[in-house]
């Protein structure tokens, strides 16, 4: 199958940090379909050879194991081509159309790795020159809008020029191998699903923590914040994977239908519940690992009086028969105690204990997403007797490390997603109604914050965020996983 992959923003940060390394790994693994051509588009004046040299130099910044040898890059580089374009000029899209029509590839992928403000313009322009035919697929990066209204405007434009099955709204968390194994664990094994409900589960926690600050993204981040950047997309997609009903099959629409039901079932917000169950924070200046680090307000590109949140913790519920009354806790932030993304499923204690139990001991399933990747099942077992009159139990863990088990068989998130786009598989991409429902749910929080004079709570770098996040979960009699 021949394909052309047009990369708008071909000299940008995302292109050389994520997309080109992912495409090279697919090329190295032999999974990139033959007959491919990659056309980078940007405003710079570059020849094909100059662009290839630029990308080759950028590979020096990726992990050593993922760098091509000179021979590998020579073969991979032959796929790379460059076209100078001004994305505001229709005649430049006409030149792109001529380049694509001349070859007539079976599939054309348009990857729009540009500023979000250009999304609708690019889609309208490719339609204006006839590049929106049935063999075209358009990939859009987040953020798709900054609120419900702007997201709906983008989706309305897309519907006018493309069919829904041609639009691939990418969320790289869904491409992570660990998230794939979350679906496999739930729907490929008979062990967990009978217990996956309110009668057996006490609470579920989703943590996406970053150790670094905003770094060079201050200007972008100050217009976005943690709620838009992480909760509205990544965290809610993980919540859907945890909370959805088993789909009737593995088709894209069957999976996305069930995720949509979860989003529609999330408990709606009121002024009272936002005040009690949503905590926002902003990191202050301090020390991490013995080094002084600036506070958020001192970061380059950030307004000195900014109230943008760098941390969010919230409590919600899925209002249906399976999950009624089970709290779901989400937290995400920058400058936290470590880079760690995981989901913790805390099971209810035994109804009638006959052994001496460690304080707070419960069965837990920990789904590690990054930097570790695997499953931990925490159980209670009886060890060596210690002259106790009453038998005592202690906690043990069964640990499955997917990296150790599967090793080089593992495929990175962007590699997996790019191959799915070329093949036309929509399972790991977000449908427009899912996305709008997620924006609809977070919208009351954004509105409340706009009118809240208190602003975000400060927290120390290297901590787990404001203490109010621990107080919020403690009101239910629970605690975050690191506090257990």
């Amino acid at each position: 199958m021949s394909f052309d992959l047009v990369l708008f923003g071909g000299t940008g940060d995302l292109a050389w940090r994520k997309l080109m390394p992912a495409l090279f790994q697919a090329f190295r693994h032999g999974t990139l379909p033959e007959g491919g051509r990659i056309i980078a588009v940007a405003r710079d004046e570059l020849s094909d050879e100059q662009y290839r040299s630029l990308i080759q130099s950028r590979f020096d910044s990726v992990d050593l194991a993922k760098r091509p040898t000179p021979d590998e890059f020579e073969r991979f580089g032959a796929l790379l081509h460059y076209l100078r374009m001004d994305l505001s000029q229709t005649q430049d899209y006409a030149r792109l159309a001529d380049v694509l029509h001349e070859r007539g590839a079976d599939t054309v992928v348009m990857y729009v790795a540009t500023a979000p403000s250009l999304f609708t313009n690019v889609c309208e322009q490719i339609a204006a020159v006839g590049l929106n035919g049935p063999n075209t697929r358009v990939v859009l990066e987040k953020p798709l809008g900054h609120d419900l209204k702007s997201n709906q405007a983008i989706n309305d434009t897309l519907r006018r020029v493309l069919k829904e099955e041609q639009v691939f709204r990418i969320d790289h968390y869904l491409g992570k191998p660990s998230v794939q194994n979350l679906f496999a664990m739930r729907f490929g094994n008979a062990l967990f699903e009978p217990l996956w409900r309110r009668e057996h589960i006490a609470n579920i926690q989703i943590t996406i923590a970053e150790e670094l600050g905003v770094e060079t993204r201050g200007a972008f981040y100050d217009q976005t914040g943690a709620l838009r950047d992480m909760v509205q997309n990544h965290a809610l997609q993980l919540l859907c994977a945890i909370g959805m009903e088993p789909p009737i099959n593995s088709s894209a629409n069957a999976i996305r239908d069930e995720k949509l039901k979860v989003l529609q079932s999330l408990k709606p917000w009121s002024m009272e519940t936002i005040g009690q169950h949503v905590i926002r924070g902003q990191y202050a200046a301090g020390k991490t690992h013995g080094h002084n680090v600036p506070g958020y307000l001192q970061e380059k590109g950030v307004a000195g009086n900014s109230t943008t949140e760098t941390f969010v913790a919230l409590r919600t519920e899925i209002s249906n028969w399976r999950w009624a009354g089970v709290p779901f806790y989400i937290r995400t932030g920058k400058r936290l105690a470590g880079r760690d993304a995981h989901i913790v499923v805390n099971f209810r204690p035994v109804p009638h204990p006959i052994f001496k139990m460690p304080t707070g001991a419960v069965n837990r399933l920990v789904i590690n997403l990054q930097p570790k990747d695997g499953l931990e099942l925490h159980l209670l077992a009886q060890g060596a007797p210690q002259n106790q009159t009453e038998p005592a139990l202690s906690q043990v863990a069964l640990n499955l490390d997917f990296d150790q088990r599967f090793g080089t068989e593992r495929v990175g998130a962007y590699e997996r997603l790019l191959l799915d786009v070329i093949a036309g598989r929509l399972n790991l991409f977000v449908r427009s109604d899912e996305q709008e429902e997620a924006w609809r749910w977070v919208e009351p929080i954004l509105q409340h914050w706009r009118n809240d004079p208190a602003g975000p709570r400060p927290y120390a770098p290297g901590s787990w965020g404001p203490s109010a996040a621990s107080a919020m979960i403690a009101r239910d009699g629970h605690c975050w996983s690191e506090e257990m």
Side-chain angles (χ1 to χ4, degrees), residues 241-315:
I242 284 286
M244 64 190 279
E245 295 295 322
I248 58 172
N249 55 44
S250 61
S251 69
N253 276 333
I255 292 170
R256 300 196 292 186
D257 286 347
E258 297 303 333
K259 288 197 293 173
L260 177 62
K261 291 177 186 176
V262 172
L263 293 168
Q264 292 171 332
S265 301
L266 288 175
K267 198 168 184 178
W269 296 108
S270 66
M271 295 294 287
E272 182 182 6
T273 57
I274 291 176
Q276 290 182 345
H277 297 155
V278 182
I279 308 298
R280 62 170 167 161
Q282 188 184 87
Y283 64 81
K287 283 192 173 185
T288 58
H289 304 296
H291 300 287
N292 291 320
V293 294
Y296 178 71
L297 297 180
Q298 289 79 54
E299 298 280 16
K300 184 178 179 180
V302 173
N305 60 349
S306 173
T307 58
T308 297
E309 77 288 352
T310 62
F311 174 92
V312 176
L314 60 84
R315 177 197 191 277

Side-chain angles (χ1 to χ4, degrees), residues 105-342:
D106 297 326
T107 299
V108 176
V109 175
M110 306 279 193
Y111 200 118
V112 189
T114 67
S117 58
L118 295 174
F119 287 174
T120 54
N121 176 64
V122 170
C123 292
E124 287 173 335
Q125 292 277 24
I126 63 175
V129 297
L131 287 177
N132 60 336
N135 69 326
T136 295
R137 294 160 192 159
V138 176
V139 185
L140 297 176
E141 276 280 348
K142 75 174 183 74
L144 264 75
H146 60 274
D147 56 15
L148 177 61
K149 183 178 179 181
S150 58
N151 176 255
Q152 289 174 326
I154 292 172
N155 284 332
D156 287 345
T157 299
L158 294 174
R159 290 187 192 103
R160 287 199 302 271
V161 299
L162 296 163
K163 295 180 180 178
E164 178 66 34
E165 58 266 26
Q166 292 178 274
V167 182
F168 290 70
R169 299 170 186 83
I170 198 166
D171 185 330
H172 74 271
Y173 258 72
L174 292 179
K176 288 180 177 292
S178 47
V179 178
Q180 300 311 297
N181 271 300
L182 173 55
F183 287 105
M185 180 197 73
R186 284 200 59 194
F187 307 130
N189 297 280
L191 180 62
F192 293 108
E193 195 59 28
L195 306 177
W196 215 253
R197 53 193 315 107
R198 59 186 174 83
E199 290 87 354
H200 304 286
I201 292 176
N203 67 86
I204 293 176
Q205 304 175 15
I206 299 172
T207 295
I208 307 174
E210 298 180 66
E211 194 172 21
L212 297 176
V214 296
E215 304 302 297
T216 60
R217 299 171 69 231
F220 162 78
Y221 196 88
D222 208 37
Q223 302 300 315
T224 306
L227 188 71
R228 291 183 176 96
D229 192 41
M230 299 298 290
V231 175
Q232 182 272 332
N233 39 69
H234 302 327
L236 286 186
Q237 285 294 317
L238 294 176
L239 185 147
C240 288
I242 284 286
M244 64 190 279
E245 295 295 322
I248 58 172
N249 55 44
S250 61
S251 69
N253 276 333
I255 292 170
R256 300 196 292 186
D257 286 347
E258 297 303 333
K259 288 197 293 173
L260 177 62
K261 291 177 186 176
V262 172
L263 293 168
Q264 292 171 332
S265 301
L266 288 175
K267 198 168 184 178
W269 296 108
S270 66
M271 295 294 287
E272 182 182 6
T273 57
I274 291 176
Q276 290 182 345
H277 297 155
V278 182
I279 308 298
R280 62 170 167 161
Q282 188 184 87
Y283 64 81
K287 283 192 173 185
T288 58
H289 304 296
H291 300 287
N292 291 320
V293 294
Y296 178 71
L297 297 180
Q298 289 79 54
E299 298 280 16
K300 184 178 179 180
V302 173
N305 60 349
S306 173
T307 58
T308 297
E309 77 288 352
T310 62
F311 174 92
V312 176
L314 60 84
R315 177 197 191 277
T316 188
E317 294 180 20
I318 300 174
S319 299
N320 62 18
W321 277 44
R322 180 186 288 265
W323 295 114
V326 176
F328 285 72
Y329 304 104
I330 294 173
R331 64 175 172 173
T332 183
K334 293 188 175 294
R335 283 270 186 251
L336 296 181
R339 176 176 176 264
D340 187 15
H342 62 261

